[in-house]
Amino acid sequence: MTYRNESNKTFQNLSQKHMSFEQIFNHIVTFMKQDITGNYRLIFGTDSQIHTTFTKFITGIVIQREKRGMGLHPESKCPKENDKSS
């Protein structure tokens, strides 16, 4: 198996695409600063989809502010090329 360069990893949510990890981190911090006394849950979910020449991995990140609803929903997309020799 071979992997594409880590710089190909991008994040998106419903309103923004092609965000870096640093942008996502800052987005989370900004959301949590809106209510610094709130209780938050950081929730991750993952899935993958196998294609002929690559596998697409999706990671969802949800910030839940307890008793106040959800925050942002970025997804990470990091294709991995399949190596048919293994």
Side-chain angles (χ1 to χ4, degrees):
M1 261 180 253
T2 58
Y3 295 88
R4 290 186 181 175
N5 187 331
E6 287 293 316
S7 65
N8 290 338
K9 191 180 296 186
T10 61
F11 295 85
Q12 66 183 42
N13 63 18
L14 297 176
S15 62
Q16 298 172 311
K17 295 185 179 184
H18 308 293
M19 293 183 286
S20 68
F21 176 79
E22 290 78 18
Q23 289 171 307
I24 291 299
F25 182 82
N26 290 331
H27 207 57
I28 292 169
V29 170
T30 300
F31 175 77
M32 294 178 75
K33 283 183 177 180
Q34 293 174 7
D35 183 3
I36 59 173
T37 61
N39 292 319
Y40 296 90
R41 290 183 181 184
L42 178 61
I43 304 164
F44 293 91
T46 61
D47 198 6
S48 63
Q49 187 177 44
I50 299 171
H51 296 268
T52 305
T53 59
F54 66 95
T55 301
K56 184 183 289 187
F57 292 92
I58 304 291
T59 301
I61 304 169
V62 176
I63 308 298
Q64 180 183 22
R65 185 169 39 205
E66 292 182 356
K67 300 180 182 176
R68 302 261 332 257
M70 298 293 180
L72 50 111
H73 311 274
E75 298 176 343
S76 165
K77 294 187 177 185
C78 181
K80 179 183 76 173
E81 294 178 10
N82 290 335
D83 182 358
K84 296 185 185 229
S85 63
S86 52

